[in-house]
Amino acid sequence: MPTDIRDQPSIGHDEVLGLNFINPAAPYVFRKHFRQGLRSHIMEILAPRDVETERNGTISADGMRRFPMARPRRMLRIFRSRLRTLDDALKEIGRVKTVERYLAPDFMATSVECIVDYQGPQGRDLLLCGFQEYVAGGIVDPWTILDQSDLLPALYDGAAGSADGDAPPRNRWIWTVRQNGAEFVTRIKRMIVEAATIPDLAGAGNLIATASGEIRLVDINNISPVDFDGSILLDEKGYPVCDKSIEALALIENKIAGQPVDKQSELYKNFFDPVRWKAVKAKEAEFWSRIENTV
């Protein structure tokens, strides 16, 4: 019996075209993105001519053959989680809309969320998909051992390499990304206070720094409530995403925005309590142990 698309470890072009809600005559190439999440299949939507140029190369004005990487026109996300009811699907979309309210359009990759009627091996079922803006740039890793003086110049090199044209000078870019990093942190803190919600800032590759100095959230699947009652909230995979995202927020505030972190503020004092910190580390270790045992 065929495997449900949500259970497959990875999928390619043929599997996407085989989905009942995708037009098999669609004039695109679907390719697995190098960064895959636990919660979604992430597929690049590419123009065939761009893939052909990537494969065969093109002759530049200086007579050199170059092989430019095909740039996605959009990204297709296929949500892995089962949705028991239409209300479950609408709640998932509602969480994304909350993040959009605080971050869109300048600080996230905007997405059109779709609820589709998926014909799977066990019959018809609801499936959540997203057609998302593609954001080119360098990956912002909050957990890097580099400090701000080394991180931002290194991040500039990755971001500038993704530019279609000339990137701004390094010093100007660093100034811009610091300003945008500070505004990103401000908006996330406002989201926490007003909507009691935080997106996953902790995952590798969830944030991108663009060639123009923007900070953009690209992983919008894992959105957690924020609770100050002392409980450690886990996502459906058992990961303490709220606490780890607030830890990542402090690192972004320091390493990207270049601001001192006030650990006596209400937010950080609550989540950086030593007893809580130790318990979160234990939950995180349990999560990674389960992941390793299922690989």
Side-chain angles (χ1 to χ4, degrees):
M1 177 181 290
T3 305
D4 191 296
I5 195 75
R6 294 165 291 192
D7 296 328
Q8 295 184 33
S10 65
I11 58 174
H13 176 79
D14 291 340
E15 286 82 4
V16 173
L17 287 189
L19 294 169
N20 64 290
F21 54 86
I22 296 291
N23 184 350
Y28 297 105
V29 174
F30 298 92
R31 182 167 68 187
K32 174 184 173 182
H33 190 52
F34 71 89
R35 191 184 71 252
Q36 292 292 302
L38 294 174
R39 295 163 188 83
S40 297
H41 293 293
I42 305 174
M43 307 298 296
E44 300 173 347
I45 304 177
L46 305 164
R49 64 177 177 274
D50 294 339
V51 176
E52 182 179 357
T53 300
E54 175 186 291
R55 184 182 300 119
N56 299 324
T58 182
I59 304 297
S60 60
D62 58 7
M64 297 289 292
R65 182 174 294 275
R66 304 183 189 280
F67 297 85
M69 183 72 73
R71 177 165 293 191
R73 302 304 176 93
R74 301 283 290 185
M75 305 295 289
L76 168 63
R77 294 180 293 106
I78 301 175
F79 205 56
R80 291 181 181 273
S81 294
R82 262 61 173 180
L83 302 169
R84 292 170 298 175
T85 65
L86 177 60
D87 189 52
D88 286 344
L90 293 175
K91 286 179 180 177
E92 290 290 346
I93 293 174
R95 282 189 277 269
V96 173
K97 293 302 180 185
T98 297
V99 175
E100 284 184 352
R101 193 161 68 246
Y102 289 91
L103 298 185
D106 297 329
F107 293 92
M108 68 178 288
T110 56
S111 180
V112 177
E113 304 300 294
C114 306
I115 304 169
V116 299
D117 182 20
Y118 167 54
Q119 179 64 56
Q122 304 298 326
R124 292 189 177 276
D125 200 1
L126 295 176
L127 183 66
L128 183 61
C129 297
F131 290 92
Q132 190 172 18
E133 173 190 9
Y134 172 71
V135 177
I139 291 175
V140 177
D141 177 13
W143 313 107
T144 177
I145 62 173
L146 298 176
D147 60 19
Q148 184 190 145
S149 61
D150 295 320
L151 172 60
L152 293 183
L155 192 54
Y156 170 80
D157 293 337
S162 70
D164 288 327
D166 293 333
R170 179 176 303 198
N171 288 342
R172 187 193 306 166
W173 183 89
I174 289 175
W175 183 88
T176 301
V177 85
R178 281 179 180 156
Q179 300 303 306
N180 286 330
E183 178 63 18
F184 179 84
V185 169
T186 296
R187 292 191 183 205
I188 293 292
K189 288 182 177 180
R190 189 182 307 143
M191 189 190 314
I192 292 170
V193 171
E194 296 178 359
T197 297
I198 189 170
D200 182 2
L201 306 178
N206 288 8
L207 293 172
I208 299 293
T210 71
S212 61
E214 298 172 314
I215 299 293
R216 308 282 294 278
L217 175 73
V218 295
D219 188 337
I220 60 174
N221 281 141
N222 199 10
I223 302 165
S224 173
V226 179
D227 202 326
F228 286 82
D229 67 357
S231 58
I232 298 173
L233 302 176
L234 306 178
D235 65 13
E236 75 278 8
K237 302 292 184 180
Y239 184 68
V241 64
C242 174
D243 282 77
K244 295 303 295 182
S245 292
I246 290 173
E247 184 181 348
L249 180 66
L251 293 171
I252 294 165
E253 187 170 5
N254 178 246
K255 294 185 175 185
I256 301 299
Q259 298 177 342
V261 175
D262 180 9
K263 293 192 176 180
Q264 295 306 308
S265 66
E266 181 182 2
L267 175 64
Y268 291 141
K269 188 175 182 178
N270 179 80
F271 285 92
F272 290 168
D273 173 79
V275 174
R276 183 187 184 104
W277 185 283
K278 184 176 180 180
V280 169
K281 293 297 183 186
K283 296 291 186 184
E284 184 183 14
E286 291 174 13
F287 168 80
W288 288 116
S289 177
R290 284 195 303 272
I291 295 297
E292 290 170 2
N293 290 333
T294 58
V295 173

